[in-house]
Amino acid sequence: MKKTIIATLLLSILGGATGIATAATTANGAMTSPLMASAVVQIQQNEQNAQFSQWLPQVMARFNSLPEVQAHAAQAEQAKLSIAAADKAVYNPELGLGYQNATEDTYSIDISQTIDWANKRGAATRIAQLESEILFSSIILERNQMLAERLQALANQSQARKALEFQQQQFKLAKAQLDIARQRTEVGDLSSVELQLMQLDVASNAADYALAEQESINADGAVLALFGEHELPFADFVNSLTQQANNLDVSPQLPALKSAYQQVLVAKVTAEQAKADSSADPSISLSAEREGDENKVGLGLSIPLQIRNNYSEAIAVANQGIIIAEQTYLAQERSLLQQQAQFSLSFPRLAARYQDWSELVLTSGAQAAKSLSQQWQSGDINTSDYLQSQRQMSGSYLAGLGLESALYTSWLSWMGDSGQLEDYLNRQLPSQGAVASAPVQN
């Protein structure tokens, strides 16, 4: 609870407003019993779900309406049709008609059917099923990466707006202090040099304000490019990120690996299909012939002779494909494991620094900011020390925003690239899962 009010508290103090905050812990910060700790955890979880419910459904509805996301549904339908097409018979019957002009005219009719002796149809159906599963996995992974990119844009927009608001408050405070400095100079309480320092500080704050405005405009533009609009609801959820930090299992069922794993299965079935395609499927035929006044009935059987080509090279190519698919999967697994290791190494350290920053701002930084202006006005500190302290306060707040951005980037990159993000967000809204659920089902 403390961390959620840091920005508001510091911003209010630096801007001259009154900050009001409540805490979920006791006065000394300790829980009195395991039962109370469990109750607080449950309260925090309920608050987190309520927080997500305020903005996530609308964001997910806008995300699912994007044309590139709608295309996923068409791709899924195409995959289903591919399975149905592969499950049809490989060979159609053949009908033959014959006529011979001779002393006695001969008329013939025959029908033949090639038998799928090697089960080409079964292999083709299995490949189509696996390819559809690969497509579904790829769509899920792509959705997660697209969603991570868009949530990152919303987080960047939120950070940019907080920085803009902070710089605006700093600029207003600097101008107000400059007016006081002029009054003090008129009565001889402040030197002209110190007044010039205050004027330079206002100019510096104006420049920072302008740069923050530019960053906010760029962030709005990024959201506009990704969503088609720039005003979307969003609430910071940086405090809930640590709950997912320990979920680092890497398995073939992750969307990031499932597609490559299924490619191995496809390669193995393709090898079986190559053997089936190269097999000699026999054909049987039934014929009827009338020669003059004589009727004849015939039964035929034909078997291809694989003398000139036994298709051994084609089978060897398919077997080599298995090795390629296996090595590709191992390479992707290694890449994901490296990303997992980087995330597990960097995220806890960033979270620890963010926690340190939060505690320091609440204890020392906020109290110092509250009395800083009064001390300067009363002459207890000189102008140089006052301006230096102001810059330190600004640096402290902006450093906290930078840490928040780094936490979002680290967490969203891992969750998006591993394909776990959308499932995590769905769990935050158990009663509204239909709103955030993927339109493509495997």
Side-chain angles (χ1 to χ4, degrees):
M1 293 296 295
K2 286 184 177 181
K3 291 190 286 185
T4 59
I5 62 168
I6 293 170
T8 303
L9 179 60
L10 182 57
L11 185 59
S12 299
I13 293 174
L14 292 179
T18 301
I20 301 176
T22 58
T25 56
T26 57
N28 57 6
M31 298 299 176
T32 58
S33 68
L35 182 61
M36 181 181 293
S38 176
V40 170
V41 169
Q42 184 62 43
I43 291 173
Q44 291 176 342
Q45 182 65 37
N46 293 338
E47 289 177 348
Q48 176 186 329
N49 291 343
Q51 182 189 51
F52 275 105
S53 66
Q54 293 172 4
W55 63 272
L56 186 57
Q58 185 174 342
V59 169
M60 289 302 301
R62 185 70 186 96
F63 173 76
N64 286 327
S65 66
L66 295 174
E68 52 267 47
V69 177
Q70 290 292 319
H72 292 158
Q75 289 178 318
E77 185 63 27
Q78 184 184 46
K80 295 177 182 178
L81 293 174
S82 298
I83 297 175
D87 198 30
K88 299 297 183 180
V90 178
Y91 302 109
N92 284 314
E94 297 181 6
L95 177 65
L97 298 173
Y99 167 73
Q100 291 183 356
N101 185 6
T103 304
E104 293 183 349
D105 291 345
T106 302
Y107 302 89
S108 64
I109 181 173
D110 65 85
I111 185 169
S112 63
Q113 174 67 60
T114 302
I115 301 174
D116 186 11
W117 193 266
N119 195 21
K120 293 182 176 68
R121 173 183 175 182
T125 302
R126 180 57 180 153
I127 288 178
Q129 291 172 342
L130 288 172
E131 287 179 344
S132 69
E133 292 175 5
I134 291 173
L135 177 62
F136 293 144
S137 299
S138 299
I139 289 176
I140 292 173
L141 179 59
E142 186 177 353
R143 279 179 60 88
N144 276 270
Q145 292 173 338
M146 291 171 59
L147 187 57
E149 181 184 13
R150 281 154 179 80
L151 287 183
Q152 183 68 64
L154 289 175
N156 292 342
Q157 183 187 49
S158 175
Q159 301 300 98
R161 288 181 175 180
K162 286 192 290 186
L164 176 62
E165 183 180 0
F166 173 77
Q167 295 294 0
Q168 182 185 32
Q169 293 289 344
Q170 287 291 87
F171 179 58
K172 291 180 179 179
L173 177 62
K175 289 201 301 182
Q177 298 295 73
L178 178 60
D179 291 338
I180 296 174
R182 287 170 177 163
Q183 296 175 6
R184 293 180 60 186
T185 303
E186 291 177 356
V187 299
D189 190 37
L190 203 68
S191 67
S192 59
V193 175
E194 290 177 302
L195 178 62
Q196 291 177 357
L197 290 177
M198 296 296 294
Q199 292 173 337
L200 290 175
D201 182 65
V202 172
S204 177
N205 278 280
D208 291 339
Y209 185 22
L211 291 175
E213 187 77 72
Q214 183 180 355
E215 291 296 327
S216 182
I217 293 173
N218 292 338
D220 289 342
V223 173
L224 178 64
L226 292 172
F227 281 101
E229 56 182 299
H230 71 282
E231 289 295 342
L232 285 169
F234 179 80
D236 284 325
F237 58 99
V238 67
N239 296 322
S240 65
L241 301 185
T242 54
Q243 299 177 10
Q244 194 69 12
N246 296 325
N247 189 10
L248 299 176
D249 293 336
V250 174
S251 71
Q253 295 306 313
L254 278 180
L257 290 179
K258 191 173 183 180
S259 178
Y261 180 75
Q262 288 167 332
Q263 290 283 6
V264 177
L265 301 180
V266 168
K268 292 180 179 179
V269 178
T270 300
E272 296 177 2
Q273 186 184 40
K275 295 177 183 179
D277 290 341
S278 62
S279 65
D281 289 337
S283 297
I284 59 174
S285 62
L286 178 65
S287 63
E289 182 177 314
R290 182 178 179 83
E291 184 177 355
D293 296 332
E294 183 180 1
N295 295 325
K296 300 177 182 180
V297 177
L299 181 65
L301 174 67
S302 64
I303 301 176
L305 299 178
Q306 296 180 342
I307 297 176
R308 300 182 63 189
N309 186 1
N310 62 3
Y311 303 99
S312 59
E313 289 81 4
I315 296 175
V317 169
N319 288 330
Q320 196 68 22
I322 298 176
I323 300 176
I324 295 173
E326 289 176 342
Q327 295 303 315
T328 301
Y329 169 78
L330 292 176
Q332 292 189 14
E333 183 183 44
R334 182 184 63 180
S335 177
L336 192 62
L337 286 171
Q338 290 175 345
Q339 189 172 358
Q340 174 208 46
Q342 182 178 1
F343 174 76
S344 61
L345 176 66
S346 62
F347 188 85
R349 295 166 65 181
L350 289 173
R353 300 292 74 76
Y354 183 73
Q355 177 67 29
D356 292 342
W357 174 83
S358 303
E359 294 174 354
L360 288 173
V361 167
L362 283 177
T363 55
S364 60
Q367 295 175 358
K370 187 175 182 180
S371 59
L372 187 61
S373 177
Q374 297 175 351
Q375 292 178 357
W376 174 76
Q377 293 182 34
S378 62
D380 293 338
I381 58 174
N382 58 43
T383 303
S384 297
D385 292 339
Y386 167 73
L387 294 177
Q388 183 179 2
S389 299
Q390 282 287 87
R391 285 190 291 269
Q392 290 175 346
M393 298 296 296
S394 299
S396 175
Y397 178 72
L398 296 177
L401 291 184
L403 282 172
E404 287 186 1
S405 297
L407 284 169
Y408 277 123
T409 300
S410 178
W411 187 81
L412 287 172
S413 296
W414 163 250
M415 295 294 288
D417 291 342
S418 63
Q420 302 179 82
L421 178 60
E422 189 169 12
D423 181 63
Y424 170 80
L425 294 177
N426 287 338
R427 293 198 302 271
Q428 309 311 310
L429 299 173
S431 62
Q432 303 184 33
V435 176
S437 61
V440 178
Q441 299 295 333
N442 192 346

